[in-house]
Amino acid sequence: MPDHVVPGVFIITEITQIQGSQSSLVTIFSLWNTMMGTSLLSMPWAINQAGFTCGIILLLASAALMLYTSYRILHAVKCTKSTNEVIEFSDVCKEYLGRWAEVIAFVSSLLTLLGGMIVYWILLSNFLYNVVTFIYHHAQGDEVSTKGSSDPICPSKSPHANHSHTSPNISMTTSDHSHDATFSRWWDEQKTVPIMLVVVVLPLINFKSPTFFTKFNALGTISVTYLVCFAMKNAISWGIHLDFHDSTSPVYVHEFKSTFPIITGISALAYFVHNCVSAITRLQRHPENTVRDLIIAYALVALTYIYMGVIVYISFGLDKNCLEDNFLNNLKDTNVMAFVARIGLFFQMLCVFPLLVFIFRLQFMNSLFGSIWPSLTHVLVLNLVLIGVCIIFAVFLPHIGKIIGFVGAFCGFSYAIALPCLVYMKIRYEKGTLTLPIIIFHSILIVIGLANFIGQFLLLG
């Protein structure tokens, strides 16, 4: 620019990168909050499926594995040759492995979001059903006895034990039974509630921006804190029920079970933060502390999951096989603290669900049409398809443990293990530092991820 327009002394000749403003505490909390999801409700069931000792070991081992591959993603993003300021791991995959790797990363990311939506829809239906049932019977003036309401139940042996309208603690007249039958016919957890939920959720997922819902992220922390305290309260009330010797005892503790792949599938999704770890740590004020913060975050997440799984498992006084993949189903409708937990989780998930839909829409539409909002028609069609898939699972396969296991195992194998390991080996190869031990070690990790995915099919029965 000539001096008569702007003097040369005003021309910036050196540009320095502005450091992020995010502290280590915020980074650690963001990583913890992102990983702390619906898997928390399935941990007691997962530990029972794997065996007590085996379950704890596998939760720790899975955390270590996912921590390592998360670090590999951060390292790969740092080593990329791209000059773009913002880059995602899928871009890194394309750069080092080709278009096929980018597609796998893209599909895996979408599948993770879809799996989360399905699980959330099932849980939203469950919470809404139980909350409305609780309110209905109190509004009807049913004489609900609170005696024994905090005791655990076994829905698998008594399918209606958790429904207060069939509880022996409620006295009803013939007219009451007639009203109750009508209510049950129109308010069914699998047949009607998942469909009625559309009225509540559909208007919320058609916003162009999710800014409103991001303001309620704190609800997730409050809900997790409440569940942690709730589990401790129940443990104090129920006591410890473990038997390591008598195999005929209903509370006999199996140290190992052949169904252990269930917990490895669930933990793969529980520790999955790989598709956003780069974005979360990008604004770190002190980038040199990123690895340390990542380790601390994973340690806290692992401790939280193990705490929740172990404390519910050891205090559960009935047959351990009665544990549900949503441990709140092991509590009666008349349990007031469980009622509060369901309300809190319902509104928290009601705020998170639109965010999952928005991120899915952003990635899907931008990839297909080059715009995150091609038109209202495009958005409505996509939203209706997503809700339709969620409803189908909520009606015909409302088992969050199996869904989390399959989604986690696939995404864990493809996005969280195979791609980071392959990218790392390719980087070392280009630098001429790829050695046989590195190839063997990372090949073993990929085989472990593949075995975990195959294991989910072996446990379908």
Side-chain angles (χ1 to χ4, degrees):
M1 190 173 291
D3 288 344
H4 71 274
V5 178
V6 176
V9 293
F10 290 103
I11 297 177
I12 300 174
T13 57
E14 183 179 353
I15 300 176
T16 57
Q17 185 177 3
I18 301 175
Q19 295 293 328
S21 59
Q22 184 172 285
S23 66
S24 289
L25 185 62
V26 173
T27 301
I28 293 170
F29 177 77
S30 297
L31 290 167
W32 177 87
N33 197 37
T34 302
M35 284 186 275
M36 197 55 54
T38 54
S39 302
L40 195 68
L41 299 172
S42 299
M43 280 303 158
W45 173 78
I47 286 181
N48 179 61
Q49 298 300 313
F52 186 63
T53 303
C54 179
I56 296 174
I57 293 174
L58 288 177
L59 282 175
L60 290 171
S62 297
L65 174 58
M66 301 297 272
L67 166 63
Y68 176 74
T69 54
S70 293
Y71 165 72
R72 282 292 159 226
I73 288 178
L74 291 178
H75 178 264
V77 171
K78 186 178 179 181
C79 292
T80 184
K81 304 167 189 174
S82 175
T83 57
N84 295 334
E85 182 180 354
V86 179
I87 187 170
E88 299 300 333
F89 183 57
S90 58
D91 302 318
V92 178
C93 292
K94 181 181 180 180
E95 179 180 327
Y96 285 102
L97 301 177
R99 173 67 177 170
W100 66 268
E102 182 189 27
V103 172
I104 290 178
F106 173 73
V107 172
S108 298
S109 182
L110 290 184
L111 185 60
T112 304
L113 294 168
L114 180 59
M117 283 184 263
I118 292 171
V119 171
Y120 271 47
W121 198 274
I122 294 172
L123 289 174
L124 283 169
S125 300
N126 175 276
F127 297 149
L128 183 61
Y129 170 81
N130 284 285
V131 166
V132 171
T133 301
F134 180 92
I135 295 173
Y136 169 78
H137 287 291
H138 279 73
Q140 289 292 107
D142 295 336
E143 298 175 10
V144 181
S145 171
T146 57
K147 183 178 180 181
S149 62
S150 61
D151 296 336
I153 59 174
C154 185
S156 59
K157 291 186 177 180
S158 179
H160 301 289
N162 63 327
H163 303 333
S164 52
H165 59 273
T166 58
S167 171
N169 293 326
I170 302 175
S171 60
M172 296 181 181
T173 64
T174 303
S175 176
D176 291 331
H177 280 292
S178 176
H179 288 298
D180 193 66
T182 303
F183 175 76
S184 300
R185 185 171 62 254
W186 289 100
W187 192 250
D188 187 276
E189 183 177 350
Q190 284 184 235
K191 297 177 181 178
T192 60
V193 177
I195 299 173
M196 294 181 180
L197 192 61
V198 176
V199 178
V200 180
V201 177
L202 186 58
L204 302 178
I205 62 176
N206 292 316
F207 287 96
K208 281 190 175 182
S209 172
T211 306
F212 174 78
F213 300 101
T214 58
K215 297 178 181 179
F216 293 91
N217 274 341
L219 285 175
T221 306
I222 295 173
S223 299
V224 171
T225 304
Y226 182 85
L227 285 176
V228 167
C229 297
F230 181 39
M232 177 59 73
K233 182 265 177 188
N234 283 338
I236 295 173
S237 175
W238 296 344
I240 306 300
H241 301 278
L242 298 175
D243 192 328
F244 292 92
H245 306 290
D246 184 8
S247 59
T248 61
S249 172
V251 294
Y252 176 71
V253 176
H254 292 271
E255 301 289 354
F256 171 83
K257 286 185 178 181
S258 59
T259 51
F260 69 89
I262 287 177
I263 201 170
T264 56
I266 289 178
S267 60
L269 192 61
Y271 296 124
F272 189 88
V273 72
H274 299 63
N275 58 348
C276 56
V277 64
S278 176
I280 292 175
T281 59
R282 186 174 291 131
L283 298 178
Q284 180 80 308
R285 183 182 302 159
H286 300 288
E288 65 274 11
N289 296 331
T290 298
V291 176
R292 181 201 66 185
D293 296 343
L294 186 65
I295 294 173
I296 294 174
Y298 263 95
L300 292 176
V301 171
L303 287 175
T304 307
Y305 279 131
I306 291 173
Y307 163 85
M308 183 60 68
V310 168
I311 199 168
V312 174
Y313 179 86
I314 65 176
S315 61
F316 191 70
L318 305 179
D319 189 334
K320 302 297 183 183
N321 292 323
C322 287
L323 281 166
E324 297 281 306
D325 56 3
N326 171 8
F327 80 87
L328 290 179
N329 287 339
N330 288 113
L331 301 169
K332 297 177 182 177
D333 280 344
T334 52
N335 189 317
V336 178
M337 289 192 69
F339 170 73
V340 174
R342 289 178 178 121
I343 290 181
L345 287 168
F346 176 80
F347 284 106
Q348 183 246 329
M349 292 182 181
L350 197 62
C351 292
V352 174
F353 190 87
L355 294 178
L356 296 177
V357 175
F358 174 81
I359 298 172
F360 187 100
R361 184 174 73 228
L362 185 149
Q363 295 183 8
F364 182 81
M365 293 294 192
N366 191 55
S367 175
L368 224 60
F369 304 103
S371 170
I372 63 173
W373 190 276
S375 71
L376 181 59
T377 303
H378 286 79
V379 173
L380 281 175
V381 170
L382 177 62
N383 289 344
L384 289 174
V385 170
L386 293 176
I387 286 181
V389 172
C390 292
I391 291 175
I392 289 173
F393 275 90
V395 172
F396 298 103
L397 188 64
H399 304 295
I400 63 172
K402 291 182 179 180
I403 297 170
I404 294 174
F406 268 95
V407 174
F410 175 75
C411 298
F413 163 60
S414 58
Y415 196 106
I417 299 178
L419 291 178
C421 290
L422 291 173
V423 168
Y424 176 65
M425 288 190 284
K426 184 62 180 295
I427 292 174
R428 294 293 294 259
Y429 174 78
E430 291 185 354
K431 291 182 177 180
T433 57
L434 182 62
T435 61
L436 183 60
I438 291 177
I439 296 175
I440 294 175
F441 176 72
H442 290 86
S443 297
I444 290 174
L445 295 185
I446 295 173
V447 170
I448 290 174
L450 178 60
N452 183 31
F453 179 57
I454 295 175
Q456 306 307 309
F457 291 94
L458 300 178
L459 298 174
L460 275 176

